[in-house]
Every structure is written in C-alpha cells, then in structure tokens.
Amino acid sequence: MEGAAMLAASAALHAGAGRVMLHLLGSSCTSPRPGGIAADIMLRSLEAMRALRGSLVCGCGGGSLVSDVIPQALPHAGSLVLDADALNAIAAQAAVQTALLQRAAQASATGPTVLTPHPLELARLLGSSTAQIQRDRIGAARQAAQQWQCLVVLKGSGSVIAAPDGRYAINHSGNARLSIGGTGDVLAGCIGAHLAALPPGSSWAEAWQPLLHAVWLHGHAADIWPPARMLTASRLARSLQRPG
C-alpha cells in the first residue's frame, strides 16, 4: 500500500514542511520513481532517512515490513508519528513496546511521539475491544497516552487528543467525508509537518498546540470543501494550507 505513504508525504508537503523525504519499504535506490509523487518530494534510502533525525511519519502502508523498521525509527527519529501498520506492530510485539517506553524516557534527546489510532487499533494497543473504546473514548485515549507516555489522537467523530499528564481535547472540525480511505494517512502527514517546526528535543508539552492545530486543520479542510466537488484523500492532501 505505497499509496498511503505517498498521501502522507503529499500532506506533509502541503501542510508546510520545508523538505519532504520519502522511503517506500521494499524499494531500493535503483527502483523507478513511482508515478504520482510530486517532484518536490525526495525519495531516500532507509539509511539516509535514519540519519536525518527530523520529523518522521512511520506506518502509513508498509504492512509487516514496518516491524523491521520501527526498532530503528524509535531511537533515531526526532518528532515521531506512528500510524496504522506501526501501531499494529507495537500491539503485537513486546520488544517494540519496551522500545517505545525507552524512547519516551529519553525524549529530551529525541522528541515527542504521537500515536494516531482509530478505535480498532487503539483496542489492540490496550488489549481491549472496539466497543469498549467507543463507550469511553476520552478515557481510552487518556489511558493510552499515560501507558505509552505519548501523545495520542484517537480518530473518529470528535477526535480525542490526549497527553501523558491526563489533559485532553476534543476536535470539532471535520465531517463524514473524512471516512473515505486515505484521509488518516493525510492526517499523519499533516501532524508530521506541524511537528517538524519544533526545535530538536522538544517535549510533548511543546508539541501539544501544534498537534491540536494539525488535527483541526485536517478537519477544517473537509469542512470548507465545496459541496459539489468530490473529496478524495489526494485532493484533501493538496488542499492543506495553514491559515495566514
């Protein structure tokens, strides 16, 4: 599902990231450039990505290959957004869970970590069920944030953003159009772009407001979408602009 990574990269580009670099798992330096990737987005090897220590979005597509990448991403990334397949890898592997907590303990040397699950992914992370998550979305998001010492965005109608100290916010932008495939990848890229503006070693507390704004902007783009024009994830990514 390389399209998921391409959507996240496009969203990061249009949401204000100064430079966007993309690695498609399973590709190599000699692989042809896939069609549809904006010329502004630079393809890089996994080794080059690891050396950047910038804002990293991981897990948008990639499937089981993500499991091999996460142990490298956790200690080396600056700000880190973990989505989709990365969340499933965390839920399934105790060693990755330990590495995630170790990263949180060393956040001053890396940066904040954001988890962006939908209800089923959060249920897997917490050893719960989707029904239980939906019965208490605020409580579930706060539990995950405290358990993993990360910022958490529980996606859905009224996305819940939670922090390790128990604070939370509910985002009221967005509408049912965001249920289409790929919009979650767009959100991950948008968050990555906002976190890229933070200085190295920033805390989750410093990432709180940029995160809230990224989630709001993603929903706002859907709210102002012309009713007569079909919304797709790729169009949504290209429409992201921080209000001046």
Side-chain angles (χ1 to χ4, degrees):
M1 298 181 67
E2 64 183 17
M6 292 163 61
L7 285 170
S10 177
L13 177 68
H14 291 94
R19 293 190 302 163
V20 178
M21 300 175 198
L22 172 64
H23 175 73
L24 299 173
L25 296 181
S27 66
S28 69
C29 295
T30 59
S31 299
R33 184 181 180 93
I37 298 179
D40 317 70
I41 297 171
M42 296 167 275
L43 297 183
R44 290 291 185 269
S45 68
L46 190 58
E47 292 72 22
M49 296 284 280
R50 187 170 63 235
L52 291 173
R53 299 192 68 85
S55 177
L56 178 66
V57 179
C58 180
C60 299
S64 60
L65 293 177
V66 174
S67 298
D68 298 327
V69 174
I70 291 183
Q72 304 173 49
L74 289 175
H76 293 291
S79 299
L80 179 62
V81 182
L82 297 173
D83 187 40
D85 292 325
L87 300 176
N88 292 331
I90 293 168
Q93 299 183 31
V96 179
Q97 296 170 14
T98 299
L100 182 61
L101 290 173
Q102 289 174 341
R103 173 182 165 84
Q106 301 167 355
S108 61
T110 54
T113 303
V114 180
L115 310 182
T116 58
H118 56 55
L120 176 57
E121 290 164 344
L122 188 57
R124 291 171 181 151
L125 284 169
L126 295 179
S128 182
S129 69
T130 303
Q132 289 175 308
I133 298 297
Q134 293 294 71
R135 277 197 293 269
D136 184 8
R137 287 171 53 82
I138 293 173
R142 294 177 73 193
Q143 179 186 345
Q146 292 167 353
Q147 179 172 327
W148 301 113
Q149 289 298 293
C150 296
L151 294 164
V152 172
V153 179
L154 175 55
K155 295 181 286 195
S157 179
S159 292
V160 180
I161 303 96
D165 68 348
R167 75 180 72 177
Y168 71 92
I170 299 175
N171 181 65
H172 293 291
S173 68
N175 54 58
R177 287 173 169 169
L178 294 177
S179 64
I180 65 172
T183 57
D185 305 306
V186 173
L187 174 61
C190 184
I191 293 171
H194 280 67
L195 298 187
L198 294 172
S202 295
S203 67
W204 66 256
E206 293 169 299
W208 179 250
Q209 286 299 328
L211 175 60
L212 294 183
H213 188 267
V215 177
W216 172 84
L217 178 63
H218 177 258
H220 176 68
D223 287 338
I224 63 174
W225 196 263
R229 188 182 184 214
M230 181 179 177
L231 176 66
T232 66
S234 57
R235 287 176 175 176
L236 181 70
R238 292 193 297 269
S239 76
L240 294 175
Q241 291 185 359
R242 301 190 193 192

